[in-house]
Amino acid sequence: MKKAINVTMPSSAEGMSRVDGRLKVTGAAKYSAEYTMPGLTYGVLVGSTITKGHILTIDTKAAGRAPGVLAVVTHLNSPKVPGDQPEKGKPVPDKGALKVFYDNKIYYNGQPIAVVVADTFERALYAASLVKAQYKAEKHITNLPDNRDKGFAPRGEGVYKRGAADAWQSAPFKVEQEYIVPTVTHNPMELHAIIARWDADDKLTVWDKTQGVNDTRDDLARLFKIPAANVLVHSQFVGGAFGSALRTWPHEVAAVLAAKVVSKPVKVVLSRADMFTSVGYRPFTWQKIGIGATADGKLTGITHEAAGQTSSYENFTEGPVGVSQNMYACPNVNTKYNLVSLDIATPTWMRGPGEATGAFALESALDELSYAVNIDPLELRIKNYAEVEPSSGKPFSTKFLKEAYQLGADHIGWGDRKQVPRSVKQDGWYVGYGMGSGMFGAYRSGATVRAKMMADGTLILQTAVSDIGPGTGTAMTIIAAEQMNIPADKIRFELGDSSLPPAPTQGGSATVASVGPAVVKACTDLKEKFQKLIGNGGEDHPDYAKVLKEHNLPSLEVTSSSDGGNGMEKYAMNSWSVHFVKVLVNAATGVVKIDKVACVSDCGKVISPKTARSQVIGGAIGGIGMALMEESIIDHRYGRYINNNFADYHVPVNADIPQIDALFINKPDPIINVMGAKGMAEIALIGMAAAVANAVYNACGKRVRDLPITPDKVMG
Amino acid sequence: MKSDKPTPETTDVKDSSRRDFLKQSTLLTAVAVTPVVAIKAANDHMDEHLAAVFEKMPLKMEVNGKTVNLSVEPRSTLLDILREQLDLTGTKKGCDHGQCGACTVHVDGHRINSCLTLGIMMSGKKITTIEGLAKGDQLHPMQEAFIKHDGFQCGYCTPGQIMSAVSCIREGHAGSEHEIREYMSGNVCRCGAYPNIVNAILEVKDGGFAV
């Protein structure tokens, strides 16, 4: 397998720079909380201080009389949210999104019980401290491990079996272990924020942090029973999200309600503490894996169980056990996925949802098995390489993971790895190497793009997609520049506005794969329109401005759509990754230092090398945070987060991170779309935490199965 | 969300009673209005406007080379004044607790967290925000380097990173990759652009650009 392969490893300066870079480095990029408008007021939420029960009384008098206060909205005086009211003749669903200011029931600590609106932020913040509630508290449960017996199989998920169940047990070499991924919070740097303004009784405009302007529009239209066309959602710049802005949250509804009450625009910006309770998180998940192999390292069976937490009012599901079904060729696989309802807010998808959780367990278990059977972990993976999708038997559209393994191994210096832990010690630090692999479905959905060529030769592209940071506008501009054969600086990509042609929500690593084909289609259609204008024999790439001038036209435009593709009917489609990590573990303190990282992505063709590299590095750093430091801790006596700030909830900082090598196989997938490009956001993180954990074990012989790998656990 | 922790009694009394006081008092002749007018004023929230005048303090400072004269509440942070009163939203709020660095600005040439700084402490000071770093259309070398090395993704921590990066060099703390990482660790980037940020700072430092 040592064949030459055309690998791409861009440097940080290589490739086209971001189209919105100048706006971002000058402070001119406007995020949701940064719009000014006449009469703008400020809303501050008041959270419940109990975890379960109901409100007995709520005293808003002092807050209401505080200087500058315009309104205090609670369940006692809130306008009704029409979409939350029971419909005649229809059964009331027993589960669903939290209904804001609906009644006196409390489902989690920090649940909004009031919003105070004032003329300045300071006055609203102070007045919010004056709202007093008395509660009737009930016994709450917030601890998953103690309540795993209350688990239930969510609808449509649950049990999977291929071959014989629990076949691993009869294998000559086997491992059975439990793994914990704790609650991890997205914590994008931008605090979630919304400005809500009613322009008429049935017309609403919001500037909102969202990954999907159309989803937000549809949610608000449904909740307030107004036509979707009357809801305008702006989200031009989104300061990170990682999944936290994939759905409409209570603070958004509260802001819209408050704006109705005061008949003025209301801005609500969450505090950092609110970010832990109000906009989802990666759910605490318990897992158990049993895995067995023959003496020559062939997998005979995998059993993967998982129990993830959800709220009491809503079932949130993801796919932690899916990786065990399809990552490796194994004849016998059975999986089971349960939910446990706790008195906490509903979790949501966080980068590499489910798969990242599952891959930590599977890739750790595989590493443990490699020691049990005494085969190099990389070799063990190659021995069990899946050439077709194990669960369906379908061929993969493309899969170059074997090449990725080899590249990453060469790059990290895998040959220097010793199979026996604690073999290498330098200056008081144990040296170890680890690897972890990831996969994620290569999804694609329909999108529509308007392409308009202006008289001065500027091409304007418009679609209602969001860009939470990966550089969607940049990638789309690169695609259009190639299609139209014009310089990138003559292209303007407009996004983040629900009135633009529809595009999918930014999530599931599907934006480039979905919107890209629509850009290609729009460019193709626009060129055709130019051809028709020119008549027979026109050039494929004419001087567009000249043609418009000759025909005395101010502009020429098309609106074109692409569908979701049908590749998945015949093919299994995924992006793949492998992460190699070299760590140093301090023998005296248990501190883990990341010394070197090499990540290889097999995600089809790379459209934008500079931003792709950044995305992979960012995913790796997210994985390092998950591995070494991130954990949202609840004091179960009170059901409240105790480290809900950046001093106590640790995320990687600059000093934690070395240079990271991001390598790309960069071979197009001809099935996914016309560009051959698949997603890379999720795979950049999936498998990374296991790579770190495996390297720590290789370094010092300590296997940590409950994240994060803090020094106390390494020393313990 | 604010928790409903106990509020100091004195504050509570003062604020909740002010409007009632204005509604009832005959002492208002002291401010040359009749009680009837005062009551109407109270009903129209004029008392708040009146109180607001007394609660505020004058603040004169220089922001991005321009003198600004403001009337601010003593409790207002420099960050909120920049963002909410001066519409300089390039300075970001990421935690409001001095834990993330998104709000970094320069005061008399030194980097500070503007969320931990009360506005009234800035009297007579020279503030530079991200909006004041470029010379007209010509970007500061650090801004150019951040674009070139892609020192960001979402862009939200970026203004703070750039203000810190400029200081990092000015302070003489950009001697090595290791030193840059240490002295840039007060600025959190959740997208994970750290290696690119280091590359950008190295380029400016090694390029000998005036910062």
Side-chain angles (χ1 to χ4, degrees):
Chain A
M1 102 174 210
K2 270 268 184 190
K3 65 186 172 205
I5 178 160
N6 185 20
V7 62
T8 302
M9 192 179 86
S11 77
S12 64
E14 191 180 322
M16 193 179 97
S17 294
R18 279 170 204 269
V19 293
D20 51 5
R22 193 180 174 95
L23 292 174
K24 287 178 174 175
V25 301
T26 55
K30 288 257 181 212
Y31 299 79
S32 293
E34 298 172 352
Y35 289 83
T36 52
M37 61 197 71
L40 181 65
T41 64
Y42 298 79
V44 170
L45 297 168
V46 179
S48 78
T49 56
I50 63 159
T51 300
K52 186 184 184 183
H54 60 270
I55 302 167
L56 292 172
T57 62
I58 183 160
D59 181 357
T60 61
K61 269 205 258 3
R65 288 195 308 204
V69 172
L70 302 169
V72 182
V73 183
T74 71
H75 71 282
L76 295 171
N77 65 353
S78 172
K80 292 211 179 321
V81 176
D84 280 346
Q85 306 310 311
E87 283 188 63
K88 268 187 193 156
K90 282 193 183 169
V92 180
D94 62 338
K95 300 242 175 172
L98 186 84
K99 295 176 180 174
V100 180
F101 306 147
Y102 181 75
D103 57 20
N104 65 349
K105 292 200 176 66
I106 299 298
Y107 300 95
Y108 61 91
N109 208 301
Q111 177 186 325
I113 61 164
V115 59
V116 180
V117 185
D119 57 351
T120 70
F121 167 65
E122 291 85 351
R123 289 172 148 198
L125 187 65
Y126 171 63
S129 73
L130 303 176
V131 174
K132 302 282 179 242
Q134 287 189 312
Y135 303 91
K136 170 74 180 157
E138 293 166 35
K139 192 175 179 309
H140 62 260
I141 54 167
T142 54
N143 184 337
L144 185 139
D146 291 353
N147 293 284
R148 206 152 44 76
D149 58 337
K150 299 184 178 70
F152 61 95
R155 197 181 311 167
E157 316 273 338
V159 174
Y160 168 88
K161 186 162 80 83
R162 172 166 90 231
D166 300 331
W168 66 272
Q169 288 176 346
S170 52
F173 297 91
K174 57 194 171 191
V175 167
E176 186 186 33
Q177 290 295 347
E178 295 184 13
Y179 302 90
I180 298 284
V181 172
T183 294
V184 172
T185 305
H186 306 70
N187 272 322
M189 293 311 297
E190 182 198 17
L191 301 162
H192 277 243
I194 179 171
I195 300 172
R197 186 181 73 194
W198 287 92
D199 298 315
D201 281 349
D202 63 347
K203 275 195 159 166
L204 175 66
T205 303
V206 297
W207 291 259
D208 192 18
K209 181 184 179 89
T210 172
Q211 291 175 242
V213 286
N214 289 349
D215 280 0
T216 301
R217 175 197 64 194
D218 295 347
D219 278 348
L220 293 175
R222 177 180 51 77
L223 284 167
F224 290 90
K225 291 219 166 140
I226 55 177
N230 288 8
V231 181
L232 193 54
V233 181
H234 297 283
S235 198
Q236 208 190 338
F237 286 94
V238 179
F242 317 107
S244 64
L246 278 170
R247 64 177 296 189
T248 303
W249 296 106
H251 73 276
E252 293 163 277
V253 179
V256 174
L257 281 170
K260 188 137 233 177
V261 171
V262 300
S263 300
K264 287 168 187 273
V266 174
K267 167 153 82 177
V268 171
V269 181
L270 295 186
S271 69
R272 184 52 65 183
D274 295 339
M275 296 287 283
F276 288 74
T277 52
S278 310
V279 289
Y281 53 89
R282 191 192 296 284
F284 186 111
T285 303
W286 167 93
Q287 298 177 85
K288 183 154 102 177
I289 289 198
I291 187 166
T294 59
D296 64 350
K298 277 280 187 197
L299 293 179
T300 58
I302 305 173
T303 298
H304 188 164
E305 271 184 82
Q309 68 182 23
T310 189
S311 65
S312 63
Y313 54 89
E314 202 171 19
N315 288 350
F316 169 78
T317 62
E318 54 182 13
V321 296
V323 287
S324 288
Q325 296 164 13
N326 284 319
M327 192 73 205
Y328 298 104
C330 180
N332 307 299
V333 176
N334 56 311
T335 67
K336 185 178 158 195
Y337 175 54
N338 267 5
L339 290 182
V340 179
S341 295
L342 301 175
D343 300 311
I344 48 169
T346 309
T348 196
W349 301 277
M350 182 170 169
R351 196 171 192 175
E355 283 81 352
T357 299
F360 168 64
L362 177 66
E363 292 293 286
S364 291
L366 214 74
D367 196 69
E368 299 202 49
L369 183 66
S370 78
Y371 289 93
V373 66
N374 198 25
I375 291 176
D376 179 287
L378 175 56
E379 202 186 323
L380 184 64
R381 285 169 172 85
I382 292 168
K383 278 176 185 285
N384 294 286
Y385 194 76
E387 299 286 356
V388 296
E389 184 177 64
S391 63
S392 68
K394 283 183 192 173
F396 292 116
S397 53
T398 56
K399 179 180 180 183
F400 302 105
L401 186 57
K402 226 179 246 184
E403 288 86 337
Y405 286 158
Q406 191 62 60
L407 274 169
D410 289 350
H411 215 81
I412 200 80
W414 190 252
D416 295 336
R417 174 187 176 274
K418 307 289 179 215
Q419 179 72 4
V420 179
R422 299 168 80 99
S423 295
V424 185
K425 196 172 171 186
Q426 289 169 359
D427 305 325
W429 297 79
Y430 290 113
V431 182
Y433 294 82
M435 66 173 292
S437 197
M439 64 183 287
F440 194 81
Y443 301 109
R444 174 184 166 189
S445 56
T448 304
V449 169
R450 184 185 298 131
K452 189 172 183 180
M453 185 62 80
M454 308 302 289
D456 66 352
T458 302
L459 176 69
I460 298 171
L461 298 167
Q462 297 176 316
T463 186
V465 73
S466 292
D467 181 357
I468 59 174
T472 303
T474 307
M476 294 307 127
T477 298
I478 289 172
I479 291 171
E482 189 189 322
Q483 292 291 321
M484 302 299 288
N485 196 30
I486 57 175
D489 61 9
K490 296 290 268 183
I491 298 170
R492 203 163 79 225
F493 186 81
E494 296 178 355
L495 78 174
D497 177 334
S498 64
S499 67
L500 299 178
T505 287
Q506 183 153 78
S509 297
T511 302
V512 167
S514 303
V515 181
V519 168
V520 173
K521 182 75 169 50
C523 289
T524 307
D525 291 348
L526 186 59
K527 281 192 290 183
E528 213 164 276
K529 214 165 174 178
F530 269 96
Q531 292 306 318
K532 279 188 187 147
L533 211 56
I534 299 163
N536 284 339
E539 292 172 59
D540 185 35
H541 299 115
D543 181 337
Y544 303 106
K546 199 170 147 215
V547 175
L548 287 175
K549 199 175 175 192
E550 282 166 5
H551 290 80
N552 205 19
L553 288 170
S555 63
L556 201 59
E557 74 172 69
V558 295
T559 300
S560 306
S561 300
S562 68
D563 60 22
N566 56 3
M568 286 206 178
E569 288 170 16
K570 287 185 186 160
Y571 295 92
M573 296 162 69
N574 297 282
S575 290
W576 310 88
S577 65
V578 61
H579 312 277
F580 288 87
V581 181
K582 180 186 177 193
V583 300
L584 306 175
V585 180
N586 191 288
T589 64
V591 165
V592 177
K593 264 207 292 206
I594 305 291
D595 190 56
K596 198 173 172 186
V597 180
C599 301
V600 191
S601 304
D602 169 21
C603 52
K605 183 178 162 63
V606 175
I607 301 292
S608 169
K610 186 175 284 193
T611 56
R613 177 183 178 279
S614 293
Q615 203 171 2
V616 168
I617 290 172
I621 294 172
I624 290 169
M626 182 182 172
L628 295 182
M629 52 198 93
E630 294 190 38
E631 178 179 20
S632 298
I633 301 167
I634 291 178
D635 183 333
H636 297 298
R637 294 172 300 171
Y638 306 107
R640 196 179 303 169
Y641 286 104
I642 55 170
N643 63 339
N644 51 3
N645 60 78
F646 271 145
D648 296 311
Y649 182 92
H650 293 177
V651 299
V653 297
N654 212 319
D656 297 316
I657 302 300
Q659 291 291 338
I660 290 174
D661 292 337
L663 298 98
F664 297 93
I665 297 290
N666 201 13
K667 281 190 181 175
D669 181 331
I671 308 299
I672 180 85
N673 54 34
V674 62
M675 305 100 59
K678 298 191 273 200
M680 64 182 69
E682 327 284 339
I683 54 157
L685 185 146
I686 298 167
M688 185 66 192
V692 174
N694 296 341
V696 168
Y697 177 78
N698 184 247
C700 69
K702 180 71 186 181
R703 178 66 66 180
V704 180
R705 302 184 184 90
D706 56 332
L707 297 179
I709 307 168
T710 45
D712 55 308
K713 292 177 191 169
V714 175
M715 299 303 285
Chain B
M1 271 163 245
K2 290 296 294 179
S3 63
D4 59 353
K5 60 177 184 268
T7 310
E9 198 67 15
T10 48
T11 319
D12 202 28
V13 169
K14 178 176 152 259
D15 280 335
S16 64
S17 64
R18 182 171 54 220
R19 192 177 295 170
D20 298 338
F21 168 79
L22 284 169
K23 279 174 185 162
Q24 292 156 12
S25 179
T26 54
L27 292 173
L28 280 159
T29 46
V31 285
V33 286
T34 66
V36 175
V37 173
I39 291 164
K40 183 171 183 320
N43 289 339
D44 291 347
H45 290 265
M46 287 303 289
D47 54 337
E48 303 303 358
H49 295 293
L50 194 64
V53 172
F54 290 120
E55 277 172 0
K56 286 185 176 175
M57 297 186 69
L59 169 63
K60 184 179 175 182
M61 59 184 177
E62 191 184 305
V63 180
N64 298 333
K66 284 184 198 141
T67 302
V68 293
N69 282 294
L70 294 169
S71 177
V72 302
E73 288 190 44
R75 64 185 168 185
S76 295
T77 64
L78 176 59
L79 173 61
D80 286 329
I81 291 168
L82 289 171
R83 284 173 66 83
E84 305 298 339
Q85 295 192 40
L86 298 174
D87 196 25
L88 291 170
T89 53
T91 306
K92 304 301 185 193
K93 183 180 281 192
C95 70
D96 231 4
H97 286 58
Q99 298 166 342
C100 80
C103 66
T104 305
V105 299
H106 294 169
V107 175
D108 293 340
H110 299 284
R111 55 174 159 172
I112 59 138
N113 287 329
S114 62
C115 76
L116 289 186
T117 308
L118 292 172
I120 52 166
M121 295 157 66
M122 293 293 103
S123 186
K125 308 271 191 200
K126 288 184 180 175
I127 319 292
T128 306
T129 71
I130 191 70
E131 290 93 344
L133 201 59
K135 287 196 179 107
D137 279 347
Q138 195 194 339
L139 294 182
H140 186 280
M142 193 62 77
Q143 291 171 314
E144 293 280 10
F146 265 65
I147 294 176
K148 180 179 169 186
H149 290 281
D150 212 30
F152 50 90
Q153 287 197 66
C154 79
Y156 196 79
C157 73
T158 313
Q161 297 280 359
I162 290 174
M163 298 311 282
S164 252
V166 170
S167 286
C168 184
I169 294 180
R170 282 185 191 162
E171 293 160 5
H173 290 141
S176 66
E177 276 197 43
H178 176 79
E179 196 181 18
I180 290 170
R181 287 193 190 111
E182 282 297 325
Y183 281 87
M184 287 300 292
S185 282
N187 290 80
V188 176
C189 170
R190 194 62 167 142
C191 296
Y194 298 129
N196 297 354
I197 290 169
V198 171
N199 290 346
I201 296 172
L202 280 173
E203 168 151 327
V204 176
K205 169 75 171 28
D206 296 344
F209 294 100
V211 294

